Amino acid sequence: MKILIIEDEKSLSESIVSYLSKENYICETAFDFISAQQKISLFEYDCILLDIMLPDGNGLHLLAYLKKLGKMDGVIIISAKNSMEDRVLSLNSGADDYLSKPFHLAELSARILSLIRRTKFNGQHIISYKETVLDVDAKTLHVKGEIVILTKTEFELYLFLVTNKGKVISKEAIVEHISGDSALYLDNFDVIYAHIKNLKRKLADSGTHLKTVYGVGYKLEL
């Protein structure tokens, strides 16, 4: 799952990235309004952490821009402002949650997970498909009751496919989802081919049908 951290205080941003990376999130950062706006327009995120006070603009204007684009990325405001008026304004503007600074990183992580469960998985943390059961919280996969060891990337890839089952997912969308903005610098899709091959092998007894749509991408059959 991919997080965008829009925070101009670099030490705080680095601390958040360090903590969330250990929780197996893919983290990207933006330190100002312009770079944040570019990333929002180019990429999709499971959750955006948004500071209101940026050096070159108001974070709530980024929230309005996100809504104007029709994107459904979940947004948690992280702000030094702690007045009731700021909280109400942020939530009424479309934010999903509000966390005042300073905060504990464990609480931030819990709020992110709660938000993703609510927006992506209907509030559930267990997702069943065919003979597979994914635990979003524990980031584990069971096939016919037996645990199957997946790498972080394989788990993210399979979760992405399961939540989009029945749809053809392009190779570009997959590589952007699991690699973030570094996908812009890849010359080919070899990394995707390798992950798909490994995933198919590990899911051989699961009853799933991961179909290759040649020249386009992949589709997990309903």
Side-chain angles (χ1 to χ4, degrees), residues 74-141:
V75 177
I76 299 176
I77 299 294
I78 51 173
S79 176
K81 293 185 174 183
N82 193 28
S83 70
M84 180 60 69
E85 291 78 9
D86 289 316
R87 288 173 175 270
V88 170
L89 177 60
S90 298
L91 294 172
N92 283 342
S93 297
D96 299 280
D97 200 353
Y98 192 108
L99 188 58
S100 299
K101 300 176 185 176
F103 49 77
H104 291 288
L105 293 173
E107 180 182 1
L108 174 64
S109 179
R111 289 185 183 232
I112 291 171
L113 187 56
S114 177
L115 173 60
I116 292 175
R117 276 203 218 105
R118 190 167 66 248
T119 57
K120 301 289 185 181
F121 310 125
N122 296 318
Q124 304 298 313
H125 71 96
I126 299 295
I127 302 173
S128 299
Y129 169 70
K130 303 293 185 181
E131 297 292 333
T132 69
V133 177
L134 296 103
D135 187 323
V136 177
D137 290 4
K139 296 180 174 58
T140 57
L141 170 71

Side-chain angles (χ1 to χ4, degrees), residues 56-72:
D56 55 342
N58 188 317
L60 291 183
H61 294 162
L62 283 173
L63 183 57
Y65 178 68
L66 184 74
K67 302 304 178 183
K68 182 180 179 180
L69 294 177
K71 294 198 170 187
M72 302 301 292

